[in-house]
Amino acid sequence: GAVVSQHPSRVICKSGTSVKIECRSLDFQATTMFWYRQFPKQSLMLMATSNEGSKATYEQGVEKDKFLINHASLTLSTLTVTSAHPEDSSFYICSGAWGTDTQYFGPGTRLTVL
Amino acid sequence: DAKTTQPPSMDCAEGRAANLPCNHSTISGNEYVYWYRQIHSQGPQYIIHGLKNNETNEMASLIITEDRKSSTLILPHATLRDTAVYYCIVRGSQGNLIFGKGTKLSVKP
């Protein structure tokens, strides 16, 4: 299957700071990238969908000003958690797809906000 | 988007076939059934997908009933490394995947 990487794999930050997570498709071009969040012992929840060169579409209840998504190229999307607070601590996972083809997921980023 | 129903957990003996069922009675004609699995603290791994016909790849087989209201994922010779949460998903009209709670498969020696 296709490979998606995420960086960093884990990050610890202080409350009030911003954190950027990168998602890269390594061996395919992703016209669409998706960002998910997973709390302990729960399933993945879709946060937003982004198409290359367009603004992201956010799911209901996800604050677009808090979770900034940029999909500037066909191989890179970034998620910035602005003014992070302890309740933002979670496992963030991205995925990429060419059009409506199969989605391939990254390994995830563990965010801990102190 | 069609919902799916899976048993919360299943056990399987190492070396035996693991058969994971999924109900998707509201699936529409052009919606695909996808299977992913998630090993603890990792991103989901794609396994297989299908529309109408049965599918097989190096990881698993997917059997879809003729009315497409249910499907079964078959891991022919389960190993300890197949212990994971398995998600059956009907892909939404926007191409996005809506994850349910999945089936926690425990492969035991």
Side-chain angles (χ1 to χ4, degrees):
Chain A
V3 180
V4 175
S5 70
Q6 280 184 243
H7 177 80
S9 58
R10 57 178 65 234
V11 57
I12 300 172
C13 69
K14 292 182 179 179
S15 187
T17 61
S18 293
V19 174
K20 180 185 280 188
I21 302 170
E22 288 188 352
C23 175
R24 292 183 185 273
S25 57
L26 299 186
D27 55 359
F28 70 103
Q29 292 183 321
T31 53
T32 308
M33 283 188 166
F34 304 85
W35 286 93
Y36 294 81
R37 180 168 52 181
Q38 186 175 33
F39 292 108
K41 302 196 179 201
Q42 294 187 23
S43 190
L44 282 78
M45 288 175 44
L46 179 66
M47 299 176 66
T49 302
S50 73
N51 292 300
E52 185 260 341
S54 303
K55 287 185 178 180
T57 301
Y58 290 81
E59 295 298 302
Q60 193 170 13
V62 178
E63 300 173 59
K64 62 180 181 180
D65 295 330
K66 181 168 184 62
F67 299 99
L68 302 179
I69 292 172
N70 183 278
H71 188 174
S73 79
L74 288 172
T75 58
L76 173 64
S77 177
T78 60
L79 168 68
T80 301
V81 183
T82 62
S83 186
H85 291 285
E87 58 265 29
D88 298 323
S89 297
S90 190
F91 192 49
Y92 291 86
I93 309 169
C94 71
S95 68
W98 173 263
T100 55
D101 286 354
T102 299
Q103 278 186 47
Y104 293 95
F105 286 80
T109 296
R110 176 79 55 194
L111 170 63
T112 303
V113 184
L114 303 177
Chain B
D1 299 338
K3 284 190 173 180
T4 63
T5 304
Q6 298 177 255
S9 64
M10 291 182 64
D11 289 343
C12 177
E14 187 179 19
R16 305 298 293 268
N19 298 296
L20 292 91
C22 179
N23 287 320
H24 31 78
S25 57
T26 61
I27 192 170
S28 62
N30 60 352
E31 289 181 316
Y32 283 79
V33 179
Y34 276 77
W35 283 83
Y36 286 81
R37 71 181 182 185
Q38 187 178 27
I39 296 169
H40 184 62
S41 294
Q42 297 181 26
Q45 178 188 22
Y46 166 76
I47 301 174
I48 200 167
H49 73 282
L51 182 64
K52 294 182 187 177
N53 300 323
N54 297 338
E55 302 288 345
T56 296
N57 63 20
E58 65 277 5
M59 288 183 69
S61 294
L62 174 61
I63 309 298
I64 303 174
T65 58
E66 196 168 334
D67 63 8
R68 304 214 318 125
K69 292 185 176 182
S70 65
S71 60
T72 301
L73 179 74
I74 301 172
L75 307 178
H77 306 286
T79 70
L80 299 179
R81 287 180 295 179
D82 292 322
T83 292
V85 178
Y86 286 76
Y87 295 99
C88 167
I89 304 166
V90 173
R91 196 179 69 191
S93 57
Q94 304 299 319
N96 54 326
L97 301 173
I98 307 299
F99 284 78
K101 296 185 178 180
T103 295
K104 185 173 182 179
L105 175 69
S106 298
V107 181
K108 299 182 183 299

